Amino acid sequence: MKTKILSSNVFKTIKFFILIFLTILNVTIVNAAENRASTYISFGQYVTSDGDDTVTGSRLSISFINPITDLLSYYLKIDTGSASGKHTNSDDSETEITSSHTNAGSGLQVNFDLTDKNRYMFFLGSGLLLQSYQYDYNYPDSQTGKTSGIGYGYTAYIGIKFKAAKNFIIIPSYNYEQVNIKSEEGEQRTTTTAGASLALAIAFSNRFFN
């Protein structure tokens, strides 16, 4: 039991330092990308369902957005989160179920300027993702069971960004993703995740605010 707890803590620590490293790396890329790109750090709540059970949790995301044109942007995103819930068994007892994941995704984002000088901008995006997942749905007759591995799928999101201060913007968004995973028995399962997030973005470009 102690070994499992230690292994879980080490895994979470590694993910934390990876996110910190990517934050630093993204800022470096932003400064070199013709002063047009920006890095988003977002926090949010989400719900994941495998069709039988639902868990609720929180996650941290880091996104690198690079404009291609005024209308279109290219994004890279990594996020990590953990969730928990309860399954009610046939005898009315409850089993705690947990999950965690780390996603790496990339795709395109379409931007719609709602006001002059991009002070308010609506956006929507979609792309592909890879997911490192862990599920512990360890109760009788669970279709998912206790499993981990690498899954794949797609993601879509919508949101709006607006200027809060010079070179600083706030970005609320709603995210959806669908991922194919393998159950403990090796069968393919599809999970869906949806939730809201709030990003605080530092833009290294005067073009966004001028």
Side-chain angles (χ1 to χ4, degrees), residues 3 5 8 16 19-20 25 30 46 52 60 65 83 89 101 106 122 125 127 136 142 150 169 173 182 200 204 208:
T3 302
I5 294 175
S8 176
F16 173 77
L19 286 168
I20 295 298
L25 179 61
V30 164
Y46 70 95
D52 297 320
L60 168 69
I65 311 294
N89 302 305
H101 70 270
S106 180
F122 172 78
D136 189 355
S142 171
I150 303 296
I169 50 179
S173 64
K182 284 191 176 181
L200 307 177
F204 294 84
F208 184 87

Side-chain angles (χ1 to χ4, degrees), residues 133-148:
Y133 61 84
Q134 291 184 331
Y135 285 88
D136 189 355
Y137 290 7
N138 197 16
Y139 62 85
D141 301 323
S142 171
Q143 297 298 307
T144 297
K146 188 172 184 177
T147 183
S148 62

